[in-house]
Amino acid sequence: MYDIVLTTLNARYIHPGIGLRSLHANLHDLRHLAVIQEFVISDQLLDVAEKILAHRPKIIGLGVYIWNGRECEQLVRILKSLAPEVLLVLGGPEVSHFPHRLDFSLADHVICGEGEEQFYQLCSAYLTGSTGLPRIITASPPDPDRLVMPYALYTDEDVAHRVIYVEASRGCPFSCEFCLSSIDKQVRYFDPDRFLRELATLWERGARNFKFIDRTFNLNMQRIGPILDFFLQREPPFLVHFEVVPEHFPFELREKLAQFPPGTLQLEVGIQTLNADVAASIHRRLDMDRITANLRFLEEETNAHLHVDLIIGLPGESADSFGRNLNQLAGLTRAEIQLGVLKKLSGTTLSRHDAAHKMTYLPHPPYEILANDLIDFTAMQDLKRMARFWDLLYNSGNFNGSVRLLWPDQDVYAGFLRFSKWLYGATESTWQIALKRLAELFFAYLTEELGLAKDEAANAIAADLLKVKGRPLPVVISDNMTVHPGSLQARNTVSPGKRQARHAE
């Protein structure tokens, strides 16, 4: 039995909550009274409530995010119905900014911001009999030097089977209007020696899949150089993921990135838009010369797996403008290009564009754009489906070469959008399309709609699919291919990330 249960609903099992672990680590003398219980959003909420309440807690701390907001809204009602006497404390980005667009009125307390210190103070007061604490508690950003690092709270199972989230800094100096990170403009760093000792301990325990949640990892070479050296001094297989700003790649950084072997490094490069007027309107800087040069460097001189972001639905950006962005970016890099959909998050200043651009959003999570003055609802739906199918074919690494047959005229956007509309018409779904079925549909489109020779389409698709050793081919592919399967080369890259390995060769 535990007095304090720290819990959340993760998007997937592979993603453990670093926030819960940081709260637990900073409970100090109360740590022995607390337990972490993690679930996933697909779990039955009554089962979740049963497991939480089995501890007979006095305090429940629930982490609320955009991906679990609606489930947490229901879980709050269930928990307060079953155990109204238990103190229910909410925290996380989804409740840290007002107005709340979901009903969390039954919660006893809401901590807004980074809550390690305030959650400890609240628990200490409540467990010693203090009452009358404010329902809404605003947390000032803590000094990282005062915080206990949470990494010892990753279990052996976490280390063996899950992505290990780490952070060397908090905050972001930029002011992009769609992003919550723009609110905290002061970048605060954890002590580098202390952080590196924690990394070394995780490595010794067997951790090999690390994701840094720093919003702008590559800002300060003096800070990040020792971290890069830490990984460069170690033998693969491992995978480390950093989020970087595209304009800042000084020589010292380039030199280190070029040393990472294939399958060990992933960089998430935030582009969002290549339209200078749109970028300026959302307070995002855009230096195309530097972005172009840096992407070419990363593409040609490193083994990094790149994950480059574009956003659909930004104020002032038409579908044609978005299409030009995609064409330009696909010409600069063969990296994953994540086609994200604009979301209006509470706490950002994005709402100032609503009237001028007739921005209409989904009223509940994930608060996605539905339409604006340049892209109507039907066209937006087409673009959203395109984004999903783009991930299945282009980003997955399953069709690295053959997907390019969709745009023989080099108009990536128009070619893929036509295929996306056809695919949706054939399936009426963007989910649960098995790889075998997807390959069959892709073959049908190439041969029946684009008029490609059956052997050419089959050979191209087979060359991609058989890069994963032992993967079976759909009958329609094997019957029409003219290249012997044994002549096609399987991938040799070893990486904790399957998608990264598929892209590596």
Side-chain angles (χ1 to χ4, degrees):
M1 303 299 174
Y2 290 90
D3 287 347
I4 305 168
V5 173
L6 292 162
T7 190
T8 194
L9 301 163
N10 295 320
R12 295 170 59 199
Y13 164 78
I14 198 172
H15 302 300
I18 189 175
L20 297 185
R21 287 160 177 80
S22 194
L23 289 172
H24 194 177
N26 287 278
L27 282 174
H28 307 297
D29 56 307
L30 303 180
R31 278 185 62 173
H32 69 288
L33 301 177
V35 66
I36 292 173
Q37 275 198 305
E38 292 182 282
F39 305 93
V40 294
I41 55 174
S42 59
D43 288 338
Q44 295 296 312
L45 293 181
L46 292 180
D47 295 338
V48 170
E50 181 183 15
K51 291 174 182 177
I52 292 171
L53 295 176
H55 290 289
R56 298 181 185 173
K58 297 177 181 177
I59 301 170
I60 298 171
L62 177 61
V64 189
Y65 299 84
I66 191 170
W67 62 78
N68 69 13
R70 298 182 79 178
E71 292 81 3
C72 285
E73 180 185 45
Q74 297 175 52
L75 183 59
V76 166
R77 293 176 183 172
I78 294 169
L79 290 171
K80 293 307 286 186
S81 296
L82 292 169
E85 74 284 359
V86 176
L87 193 77
L88 183 54
V89 184
L90 306 186
E94 186 61 18
V95 296
S96 288
H97 307 281
F98 291 90
H100 288 170
R101 285 177 276 178
L102 296 170
D103 182 6
F104 294 115
S105 58
L106 294 178
D108 297 290
H109 295 281
V110 176
I111 297 179
C112 303
E114 299 169 28
E116 289 96 342
E117 294 177 334
Q118 283 71 19
F119 185 69
Y120 168 64
Q121 293 167 9
L122 175 61
C123 291
S124 295
Y126 184 76
L127 293 176
T128 54
S130 297
T131 58
L133 298 169
R135 180 175 182 272
I136 306 299
I137 300 171
T138 301
S140 299
D143 180 348
D145 287 339
R146 295 200 306 263
L147 296 178
V148 178
M149 292 187 182
Y151 306 114
L153 291 170
Y154 284 117
T155 65
D156 290 342
E157 181 180 344
D158 295 333
V159 166
H161 301 294
R162 307 172 85 182
V163 177
I164 299 301
Y165 287 84
V166 296
E167 56 179 348
S169 65
R170 292 182 180 179
C172 178
F174 302 117
S175 303
C176 307
E177 289 190 314
F178 55 82
C179 182
L180 281 174
S181 297
S182 64
I183 296 171
D184 182 9
K185 294 183 174 56
Q186 180 184 1
V187 180
R188 294 161 287 130
Y189 291 94
F190 288 87
D191 177 81
D193 293 331
R194 202 162 57 109
F195 179 72
L196 286 171
R197 286 196 297 271
E198 296 286 346
L199 269 187
T201 300
L202 284 169
W203 184 275
E204 289 164 7
R205 292 179 59 199
R208 294 296 183 270
N209 195 346
F210 298 86
K211 183 168 184 177
F212 282 69
I213 61 173
D214 307 52
R215 303 305 296 177
T216 48
F217 180 78
N218 59 326
L219 282 183
N220 187 324
M221 194 61 209
Q222 184 179 356
R223 292 277 185 174
I224 69 172
I227 296 172
L228 296 173
D229 289 338
F230 172 89
F231 289 103
L232 286 172
Q233 292 162 6
R234 282 154 175 82
E235 290 294 322
F238 65 84
L239 178 64
V240 58
H241 174 120
F242 302 115
E243 185 171 337
V244 295
V245 292
E247 292 90 350
H248 188 69
F249 283 84
F251 173 78
E252 298 88 348
L253 177 58
R254 289 181 171 219
E255 192 175 41
K256 292 185 186 298
L257 295 181
Q259 297 176 47
F260 278 83
T264 62
L265 176 65
Q266 174 163 310
L267 299 179
E268 184 172 345
V269 187
I271 302 293
Q272 320 310 353
T273 181
L274 298 176
N275 183 316
D277 292 336
V278 172
S281 76
I282 57 171
H283 298 165
R284 183 171 181 82
R285 72 178 187 180
L286 186 66
D287 187 329
M288 277 307 303
D289 290 338
R290 286 189 177 184
I291 289 174
T292 300
N294 289 334
L295 283 177
R296 283 179 177 158
F297 158 73
L298 293 171
E299 183 79 19
E300 297 170 6
E301 300 183 43
T302 79
N303 295 305
H305 174 74
L306 303 182
H307 179 119
V308 185
D309 298 324
L310 282 179
I311 293 181
I312 296 168
L314 289 170
E317 181 120 86
S318 66
D320 286 342
S321 173
F322 172 79
R324 289 191 293 272
N325 292 340
L326 180 58
N327 286 346
Q328 186 174 355
L329 201 52
L332 289 173
T333 177
R334 289 174 68 93
E336 283 190 40
I337 302 175
Q338 183 64 45
L339 306 184
V341 179
L342 181 67
K343 301 172 180 64
K344 185 170 77 169
L345 306 178
S346 294
T348 68
T349 57
L350 197 60
S351 60
R352 75 182 186 88
H353 299 278
D354 287 359
H357 292 285
K358 299 180 181 177
M359 310 289 281
T360 304
Y361 296 92
L362 196 66
H364 51 70
Y367 310 121
E368 288 183 343
I369 185 77
L370 298 177
N372 60 30
D373 60 334
L374 297 177
I375 306 175
D376 64 23
F377 176 62
T378 299
M380 195 72 77
Q381 288 288 93
D382 286 338
L383 290 175
K384 289 181 183 181
R385 286 190 282 265
M386 175 185 170
R388 172 58 182 162
F389 292 139
W390 178 269
D391 200 51
L392 289 178
L393 269 87
Y394 190 94
N395 288 340
S396 68
N398 288 319
F399 301 94
N400 264 353
S402 53
V403 70
R404 288 164 173 78
L405 296 173
L406 291 173
W407 49 85
D409 59 356
Q410 303 309 307
D411 189 338
V412 179
Y413 168 70
F416 199 90
L417 183 60
R418 282 193 297 270
F419 169 68
S420 173
K421 291 179 179 180
W422 178 90
L423 185 57
Y424 183 70
T427 63
E428 294 190 348
S429 175
T430 57
W431 300 94
Q432 296 180 331
I433 305 174
L435 180 61
K436 176 177 177 291
R437 177 66 174 148
L438 187 61
E440 292 168 343
L441 290 164
F442 184 27
F443 175 82
Y445 181 82
L446 291 175
T447 56
E448 296 169 16
E449 300 296 321
L450 295 190
L452 206 66
K454 289 184 177 182
D455 60 339
E456 183 180 356
N459 289 341
I461 294 172
D464 285 332
L465 293 180
L466 291 179
K467 286 181 179 177
V468 174
K469 190 174 182 179
R471 177 183 278 170
L473 292 176
V475 173
V476 71
I477 303 297
S478 58
D479 283 354
N480 285 283
M481 62 187 292
T482 57
V483 177
H484 191 277
S487 67
L488 299 176
Q489 184 69 39
R491 293 179 177 88
N492 296 313
T493 301
V494 177
S495 173
K498 293 180 180 179
R499 178 177 283 194
Q500 290 80 2
R502 289 198 296 267
H503 277 274
E505 297 179 8

